[in-house]
């Protein structure tokens, strides 16, 4: 966190890999930090919106981009209210923006949704599942205890569930699934292996309390 004046200096001196102004605040990623990690041979994961992703793609053409949706607008509202950092007006704007952000999904390499999100995305875009798959490298739908389905333009893969031994805390299960997904994609595994890794990570998270860490 830095002062607005300092942030604007970083913009003018091209010291940010990406940035955006949102609800009167600036958000961005320092370029020197990312460059240092990449030179060390390390992967850098950025959790950013479509505006930032567009800038990163322009600066780093070889990057991997994954489009994510919140489990539901109700879940997003509960999450924003739970943080207690935004005013009701800001929360309302964030919810409205979340809907409009869906229109940018086709700019990403991969789209990851659950059943609810898949239906919502199709309703908002007017495109069916086949249309969506034709515009991305893979369209991944999680189905909770039923596993997952990975659609690619060439083939559809039904991924069996990984059954947890006990249910302790489901919080962060989706994030854990996506962590396995990221690892598999980055390492060039086949889609069946990637999907199984995601399901396994999700099951392991459910067996333990706390966040996906």
């Amino acid at each position: 966190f830095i002062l607005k004046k300092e942030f604007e200096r970083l913009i003018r001196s091209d010291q940010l890999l990406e940035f955006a102004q949102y609800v009167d605040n600036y958000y961005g990623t320092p370029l020197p930090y990312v460059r240092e990690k990449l030179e060390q041979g390390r992967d850098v994961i950025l959790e950013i919106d479509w505006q930032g992703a567009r800038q990163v793609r322009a600066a780093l053409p070889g990057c991997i981009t994954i489009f994510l949706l919140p489990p539901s607008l109700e879940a997003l509202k509960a999450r924003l209210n739970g943080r207690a950092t935004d005013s009701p007006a800001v929360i309302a704007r964030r919810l409205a923006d979340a809907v409009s952000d869906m229109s940018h999904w086709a700019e990403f390499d991969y789209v990851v949704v659950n059943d609810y999100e898949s239906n919502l995305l199709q309703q908002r875009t007017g495109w069916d599942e086949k249309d969506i798959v034709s515009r991305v490298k893979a369209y991944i739908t999680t189905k909770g205890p039923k596993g997952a389905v990975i659609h690619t333009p060439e083939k559809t893969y039904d991924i069996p569930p990984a059954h947890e031994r006990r249910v302790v805390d489901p919080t962060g299960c989706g994030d854990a699934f996506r962590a396995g997904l990221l690892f598999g994609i980055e390492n060039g595994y086949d889609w069946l292996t990637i999907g199984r890794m995601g399901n396994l990570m999700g099951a392991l998270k459910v067996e333990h309390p706390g966040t996906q860490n």
Side-chain angles (χ1 to χ4, degrees), residues 14 16 23 40 61 78 84 98 110 121 123 126-127 149 163 171 183 191:
D14 295 324
L16 296 173
V23 195
Q40 293 172 356
Y110 307 98
L121 183 60
Q123 291 171 10
W127 292 348
V149 178
H163 298 289
T171 305
F183 184 85
W191 281 114

Side-chain angles (χ1 to χ4, degrees), residues 109-185:
D109 298 318
Y110 307 98
V111 175
V112 183
V113 294
N114 61 26
D115 279 339
Y116 170 87
E117 297 161 354
S118 179
N119 292 330
L120 182 61
L121 183 60
Q122 292 176 54
Q123 291 171 10
R124 295 291 180 179
T125 61
W127 292 348
D128 61 21
E129 197 171 71
K130 186 177 179 180
D131 292 328
I132 295 174
V133 173
S134 70
R135 289 166 169 79
V136 295
K137 293 181 180 179
Y139 182 57
I140 300 144
T141 305
T142 59
K143 295 180 175 292
K146 296 181 180 180
V149 178
I150 299 178
H151 303 276
T152 72
E154 298 79 24
K155 187 176 180 180
T156 294
Y157 301 87
D158 289 308
I159 312 299
H163 298 289
E164 64 278 355
R165 292 167 296 181
R166 60 187 183 279
V167 176
V168 176
D169 183 2
T171 305
C173 178
D175 288 334
F177 173 88
R178 290 185 282 270
L181 199 73
L182 275 170
F183 184 85
I185 292 173

Side-chain angles (χ1 to χ4, degrees), residues 85-117:
T85 58
D86 296 322
S87 67
V90 170
I91 290 176
R93 180 173 171 181
R94 287 187 182 275
L95 291 172
D97 287 347
V99 174
S100 64
D101 286 351
M102 292 182 195
S103 64
H104 297 278
W105 64 267
E107 299 177 19
F108 292 72
D109 298 318
Y110 307 98
V111 175
V112 183
V113 294
N114 61 26
D115 279 339
Y116 170 87
E117 297 161 354

Side-chain angles (χ1 to χ4, degrees), residues 68-86:
L68 306 176
L69 285 173
S72 68
L73 293 179
E74 290 78 12
L76 176 59
K77 183 177 181 179
R79 186 182 304 168
L80 293 173
N81 285 323
R83 294 194 315 187
T85 58
D86 296 322

